Amino acid sequence: MKKNVLDLNDIHASVLDRLLELFNRRVSLQLISAFNCDPKNGLQGKLGQPAYLEDWIAKITPLTASESAFDVTFDWDNELGVPGAFLIRNNHHSEFYLKSVTLEDVPGQGQIHFVCNSWVYPADKYKKDRIFFTNKTYLPSETPAPLLKYRKEELVSLRGDGKSELQEWDRIYDYAYYNDLGRPDEDPKYERPVLGGSSKYPYPRRGRTSRPPTKKDPNTESRLNPLMALNIYVPRDEKFGPLKISDVFAFGLKAIAHILKPELSQLDFTPNEFDSLQDVLKLYKGGIELPKVLRENIRNIVPKEVLKEIIRTDSEGLLKFPVPQVIKGDVSAWRTDEEFAREMLAGVNPVIIRLLQEFPPSSKLDSTIYGDQTSTITMEHVEKYLNGLTIDEAIRNKKLFILDHHDALMPYLWRIINCTSTKIYASRTLLFLKEDGTLKPLAIELSLPHPNGYQFGAVSKVYTPAEEGVQSNIWQMAKAYVAVNDTGYHQLISHWLHTHAAIEPFVIATNRQLSVLHPIYKLLHPHFRDTMNINALAREILINAGGALEHTVFPAKFSMEFSSMLYKDWVFPEQALPSDLIKRGMAVKDENSPHGVRLVIEDYPYAVDGLEIWSAIKEWVEDYCSFYYKTDDMVQNDSELQSWWKELREEGHGDKKDEPWWPEMQTLEELVETCTIIIWIASALHAAINFGQYPLGGYPPNRPAISRRFMPEEGTPDYKELKTNPEKAFLKTFSSQLLTVIGIAVIEVLSKHSSDEIYLGQRDTPKWTSDTKPLEAFYRFGMKLAEIEDRITRRNYDKKLRNRVGPVKMPYTLLYPSSGQGLTGKGIPNSVTI
């Protein structure tokens, strides 16, 4: 694929390359023998004579990115024998994307295939000519001797020297701390701590970008101009493909970045606050007027074609968004207690709810610092809702559950409340499992630190369900405070930390330590596609100081610091779905059950569908790994595998290197479990957490992200307003118009599938390996996923499974493996691509 004509920076190079091709062929390839060494070449594989790409000029460079096939004719040399790799040299002035090379009519072999998928820059950008290997798979000890040195040298080149300034064409994978989120040179309010490398702020590592330090703080890396966000360094082959770049989402993130311009954020939009839920619905059904200064600022920066897609405005400046699924079937069903509880099992954050095993709920916070944080929920609050059971009986019968956002939030509450405009509580929500399989909320506890100091414990108030009068309005408010906590925790911990940030060190370590010839590289590589680029872009405009997330989730400027605190609780083996369910008490071990565990709540859509996906991934990984590793000794003696696992623990997740729970990587079983967890995190877990954001949260009253006022107290004007105009009081507390627009715009972009998405059970080429047995196992994996799709569809039609559709009439499809492009609320991409 040539660089396209519309790349204005490259037109002169493209024209020059065509002229030079008239006089001399400029792209050469040399085959490397897999079986015959050349003593003159340090016993590396014998090199064939250069052959050249033919008819470069005859292939018209398209206006947009598209593929072209070229011929190369090699003179066969019997002394060369079967090729195992080739060198390519690009003497043009611009790069091209090399997708694959197929050798036809190789004597004794027929066809030999090379999967390349790499940008090849002009030769003067590299110290050595680029090398590509065949699609054969070799453990290090089984690598043909003529290829062994090439294999090792390629890995050395991908690691770099850890010091050099990184350029656009570099393919260097290296580690860095999260030291690029702050902007201390601009304003002290944009200073942020370095995350990673300390016990106070532990964090996974990111990819090194090598930008110079800021003037004010040598430990903080300088940042790019927001308009240049797409130019942030990631290894060249980790950058988005042309289709993804041309998709609207990249420009959408730019548009959002500029909605957040400081001068715009300071404008007083109070006259345009939402007065009723009907006003919010206008965002989808009629449109609301954007302030003129906001429209003009965005139009000055974003092309109008892009603006039309991202900020759907008509000639009158009305702003519109697609109707979220949560209000498509019924505009008010989101308010019901059943839906509030159902989304803990089938919503966008179904990984927090746990079985209640003691009453009252206790705290794990250090009592010498935080005092007594035990819950104030009493038997009197809940026993009347337990269908005749006592508390003890309900706990014994596994009928009580808790959504607990108390311990995670309490240590940060005063800082958030005193240093930001956010007004939140730590929360505990108790729920009861009814006979029909649905959950009933019993009580919500909202807590603040004691006004005399943390050491005096918490000041708490408990709210219980009510259906009439001001008490019903207060109950709706209590549920919304819980939703604010859950939305922020979801975005920062369940989504960003546990998928995006946790997986990036695996991407880096895999490319640094496992050759493309290695079976585990071939297994994992599809699950890393686009992840480094999306994470780098997120650091530029989403999770940075003053970025979109700081404006739209409750911890505000403490958001990333908050996620660092929660990283202390991250345990790699517990990311396995069965282990996570058992830890939360949502399942028990049961060898007679299909997936080795039995669910405590049978109709738990995320867990039911997830266990099927988990088991399908694990079976595929077992089939694949056992083909290459016949014994545990082979795992132990695989030098690249052991280096990979050592570096992952000691560098990639270096702040966790001394944890006792890391698998030792000494057995095939440990290898299978590890690879299954990696694939699960990158594919299904991320899909379940990400692609429901707009369908469920695109209507902010259902999942508000920020609260601006505390619960009204009786006798105050706010309480009177809550009594006389509950919708206005609700919206004044939870839905600022400007922040709502920003929040919706962000999650709409994050919930979309791009046009080049590759889903679980798919590969970008059918020739990714030459080994028949793994190809057959992969085919079976794809067929199993298709069967799971059918079962998910059937379950969603089963009226007895009330949690699958719920009052909002929204079927649970977040773990349905395949999808089309756009905002679909389903589909499991192979990797964290958005």
Side-chain angles (χ1 to χ4, degrees):
M1 188 161 55
K2 295 183 184 181
K3 200 80 176 287
N4 67 68
V5 168
L6 290 183
D7 190 331
L8 299 180
N9 296 324
D10 214 40
I11 285 180
H12 69 285
S14 181
V15 172
L16 187 58
D17 289 341
R18 292 171 70 80
L19 285 172
L20 291 172
E21 280 282 346
L22 290 171
F23 304 102
N24 191 8
R25 290 179 293 182
R26 309 283 293 174
V27 179
S28 67
L29 291 85
Q30 283 181 280
L31 298 177
I32 301 172
S33 174
F35 297 102
N36 295 322
C37 295
D38 184 353
K40 299 174 186 174
N41 192 25
L43 293 179
Q44 294 185 101
K46 183 177 174 62
L47 282 174
Q49 292 299 311
Y52 295 90
L53 213 62
E54 299 166 9
D55 300 326
W56 181 272
I57 300 175
K59 307 282 186 180
I60 300 300
T61 303
L63 288 178
T64 56
S66 63
E67 295 171 13
S68 303
F70 295 89
D71 289 334
V72 183
T73 304
F74 295 94
D75 291 329
W76 182 250
D77 180 353
N78 283 325
E79 289 185 18
L80 188 75
V82 178
F86 69 86
L87 297 176
I88 187 166
R89 185 176 182 84
N90 175 13
N91 288 313
H92 285 155
H93 292 79
S94 62
E95 69 272 26
F96 56 82
Y97 185 78
L98 185 62
K99 185 173 183 182
S100 65
V101 172
T102 302
L103 295 183
E104 308 279 2
D105 306 319
V106 178
Q109 297 291 318
Q111 195 179 79
I112 294 178
H113 197 73
F114 301 81
V115 178
C116 305
N117 290 330
S118 182
W119 286 95
V120 179
Y121 274 71
D124 63 358
K125 305 297 185 191
Y126 302 121
K127 292 177 182 175
K128 291 187 174 183
D129 290 342
R130 292 289 309 279
I131 187 169
F132 293 94
F133 297 93
T134 67
N135 63 346
K136 290 188 177 298
T137 306
Y138 299 108
L139 293 174
S141 59
E142 297 169 348
T143 309
L147 298 179
L148 194 55
K149 193 172 179 183
Y150 287 112
R151 176 175 182 151
K152 291 178 178 177
E153 286 179 349
E154 175 70 352
L155 283 174
V156 169
S157 71
L158 290 170
R159 291 176 202 140
D161 60 12
K163 302 171 188 172
S164 304
E165 183 180 351
L166 298 170
Q167 306 292 339
E168 170 196 331
W169 51 82
D170 281 324
R171 300 162 56 243
I172 291 170
Y173 295 79
D174 205 353
Y175 302 98
Y177 301 137
Y178 276 72
N179 65 345
D180 62 343
L181 303 177
R183 310 200 306 268
D185 290 348
E186 281 184 43
D187 194 306
K189 71 179 181 181
Y190 293 128
E191 293 176 2
R192 296 294 181 270
V194 173
L195 304 183
S198 69
S199 57
K200 186 177 182 181
Y201 298 119
Y203 221 64
R205 303 299 184 257
R206 65 171 177 91
R208 184 171 80 92
T209 43
S210 81
R211 290 170 294 187
T214 59
K215 295 172 186 172
K216 188 173 179 182
D217 180 5
N219 294 318
T220 296
E221 191 170 276
S222 58
R223 298 176 52 76
L224 299 176
N225 181 305
L227 281 175
M228 305 299 289
L230 286 171
N231 293 345
I232 188 171
Y233 174 81
V234 292
R236 185 61 183 93
D237 294 334
E238 301 296 335
K239 277 194 173 289
F240 298 141
L243 281 174
K244 183 128 185 168
I245 289 175
S246 66
D247 273 349
V248 193
F249 101 96
F251 299 101
L253 293 179
K254 279 188 183 179
I256 290 163
H258 287 283
I259 293 175
L260 293 171
K261 274 183 143 337
E263 63 267 30
L264 289 170
S265 303
Q266 299 305 316
L267 287 177
D268 179 13
F269 290 105
T270 306
N272 294 321
E273 290 290 1
F274 298 117
D275 291 321
S276 68
L277 292 173
Q278 200 58 42
D279 282 354
V280 182
L281 290 173
K282 288 178 184 175
L283 279 171
Y284 321 102
K285 297 184 177 178
I288 63 168
E289 188 173 356
L290 271 179
K292 186 177 179 184
V293 63
L294 188 56
R295 292 204 307 271
E296 289 175 354
N297 187 277
I298 297 173
R299 283 190 179 125
N300 288 338
I301 298 158
V302 183
K304 64 180 180 181
E305 299 81 8
V306 173
L307 191 64
K308 198 164 59 178
E309 286 296 320
I310 295 302
I311 308 285
R312 275 171 290 281
T313 58
D314 60 18
S315 58
E316 302 299 316
L318 293 178
L319 178 68
K320 288 184 184 178
F321 289 97
V323 180
Q325 278 179 274
V326 75
I327 55 169
K328 264 187 181 173
D330 187 323
V331 294
S332 60
W334 62 273
R335 300 175 65 119
T336 63
D337 286 359
E338 182 179 338
E339 181 60 25
F340 171 70
R342 185 190 79 92
E343 290 185 22
M344 300 176 199
L345 302 173
V348 76
N349 196 27
V351 294
I352 307 300
I353 187 172
R354 59 181 174 83
L355 184 70
L356 186 67
Q357 297 178 330
E358 60 180 348
F359 189 88
S362 63
S363 170
K364 292 181 180 176
L365 293 174
D366 185 345
S367 60
T368 62
I369 300 172
Y370 297 102
D372 184 5
Q373 294 286 336
T374 304
S375 175
T376 59
I377 301 174
T378 66
M379 284 189 268
E380 287 73 23
H381 286 125
V382 300
E383 276 202 332
K384 57 188 170 185
Y385 302 113
L386 300 183
N387 291 354
L389 297 176
T390 66
I391 290 280
D392 289 341
E393 288 169 338
I395 288 177
R396 271 201 311 274
N397 293 330
K398 293 182 167 55
K399 292 285 188 180
L400 287 178
F401 297 83
I402 184 170
L403 186 75
D404 194 340
H405 289 304
H406 183 93
D407 284 7
L409 270 64
M410 183 57 74
Y412 269 82
L413 277 187
W414 272 150
R415 295 172 71 193
I416 292 170
I417 291 166
N418 292 332
C419 302
T420 75
S421 60
T422 303
K423 301 292 180 277
I424 61 162
Y425 302 90
S427 65
R428 293 181 175 111
T429 306
L430 262 56
L431 306 109
F432 177 69
L433 180 62
K434 296 162 60 180
E435 292 302 315
D436 63 6
T438 63
L439 288 172
K440 176 180 176 57
L442 303 178
I444 292 172
E445 178 186 55
L446 301 180
S447 304
L448 291 171
H450 195 284
N452 293 334
Y454 271 118
Q455 69 271 27
F456 295 100
V459 176
S460 303
K461 192 162 183 181
V462 178
Y463 302 88
T464 54
E467 296 180 2
E468 295 178 354
V470 69
Q471 291 305 314
S472 69
N473 301 335
I474 288 172
W475 176 242
Q476 287 294 335
M477 295 279 284
K479 290 192 292 182
Y481 285 112
V482 172
V484 167
N485 290 348
D486 198 61
T487 299
Y489 192 100
H490 159 263
Q491 198 63 271
L492 294 168
I493 311 304
S494 304
H495 183 202
W496 168 259
L497 176 64
H498 288 173
T499 62
H500 284 260
I503 210 70
E504 184 161 356
F506 290 91
V507 183
I508 300 169
T510 299
N511 282 279
R512 284 168 57 88
Q513 298 297 341
L514 298 180
S515 164
V516 294
L517 292 166
H518 198 285
I520 302 305
Y521 177 94
K522 282 181 163 62
L523 173 68
L524 296 180
H525 185 253
H527 303 288
F528 300 150
R529 180 175 182 256
D530 287 349
T531 300
M532 289 189 74
N533 206 161
I534 197 65
N535 284 3
L537 200 53
R539 296 198 310 275
E540 286 298 297
I541 55 183
L542 284 178
I543 63 172
N544 56 300
L549 276 188
E550 288 196 355
H551 285 266
T552 54
V553 292
F554 71 79
K557 70 177 186 178
F558 301 109
S559 292
M560 293 303 288
E561 188 179 326
F562 174 71
S563 73
S564 169
M565 183 182 76
L566 272 295
Y567 177 59
K568 294 174 184 178
D569 299 330
W570 184 82
V571 176
F572 176 72
E574 290 176 358
Q575 307 311 301
L577 179 59
S579 300
D580 170 58
L581 293 170
I582 290 168
K583 178 192 175 187
R584 291 189 283 120
M586 302 301 289
V588 293
K589 287 185 179 179
D590 184 351
E591 292 181 3
N592 297 320
S593 294
H595 312 289
V597 296
R598 177 171 46 82
L599 292 174
V600 172
I601 300 177
E602 290 183 18
D603 184 14
Y604 183 178
Y606 162 74
V608 171
D609 297 358
L611 284 169
E612 289 205 22
I613 300 291
W614 167 270
S615 294
I617 294 171
K618 188 164 188 178
E619 184 178 327
W620 148 238
V621 173
E622 281 175 338
D623 289 347
Y624 181 88
C625 290
S626 60
F627 177 78
Y628 296 102
Y629 297 92
K630 305 300 183 188
T631 66
D632 291 343
D633 284 349
M634 293 181 74
V635 173
Q636 297 162 20
N637 295 327
D638 183 337
S639 58
E640 285 184 9
L641 185 73
Q642 295 302 324
S643 296
W644 168 70
W645 193 239
K646 183 176 189 292
E647 180 173 289
L648 186 280
R649 296 190 327 269
E650 296 181 1
E651 298 286 340
H653 281 280
D655 297 333
K656 294 274 189 179
K657 64 182 178 183
D658 296 323
E659 297 285 2
W661 40 252
W662 284 110
E664 294 181 1
M665 203 55 71
Q666 296 295 296
T667 65
L668 176 58
E669 183 181 355
E670 286 180 319
L671 175 61
V672 168
E673 183 76 0
T674 296
C675 291
T676 304
I677 292 173
I678 294 168
I679 294 171
W680 165 259
I681 293 171
S683 59
L685 178 60
H686 180 259
I689 296 297
N690 184 73
F691 292 103
Q693 289 187 84
Y694 192 84
L696 286 159
Y699 182 63
N702 184 50
R703 283 189 69 80
I706 284 181
S707 49
R708 299 178 290 167
R709 304 192 304 182
F710 288 123
M711 182 74 84
E713 295 290 339
E714 195 166 357
T716 63
D718 288 346
Y719 189 89
K720 184 179 179 183
E721 184 178 50
L722 183 62
K723 197 172 183 178
T724 58
N725 193 343
E727 285 191 6
K728 187 168 185 177
F730 182 96
L731 293 168
K732 278 171 75 172
T733 303
F734 299 109
S735 296
S736 149
Q737 195 177 91
L738 174 64
L739 293 181
T740 293
V741 168
I742 294 169
I744 293 175
V746 169
I747 63 172
E748 185 194 357
V749 168
L750 297 182
S751 302
K752 283 182 173 179
H753 291 293
S754 65
S755 55
D756 67 347
E757 203 86 270
I758 302 173
Y759 296 93
L760 196 63
Q762 301 175 352
R763 291 265 176 159
D764 59 357
T765 172
K767 297 178 180 177
W768 58 274
T769 180
S770 62
D771 292 326
T772 304
K773 293 281 188 187
L775 287 173
E776 291 171 351
F778 189 67
Y779 174 77
R780 291 195 300 272
F781 176 47
M783 295 300 291
K784 185 153 285 190
L785 293 173
E787 293 167 6
I788 291 171
E789 287 187 347
D790 290 341
R791 288 196 291 274
I792 289 173
T793 302
R794 287 201 299 273
R795 283 195 287 269
N796 284 341
Y797 279 108
D798 188 340
K799 288 188 167 56
K800 294 194 296 293
L801 303 176
R802 292 183 54 171
N803 295 326
R804 294 207 67 93
V805 175
V808 293
K809 303 180 178 66
M810 179 179 167
Y812 185 74
T813 55
L814 293 175
L815 285 170
Y816 189 92
S818 64
S819 174
Q821 181 183 352
L823 207 57
T824 66
K826 62 179 181 179
I828 304 176
N830 268 330
S831 57
V832 178
T833 59
I834 184 68

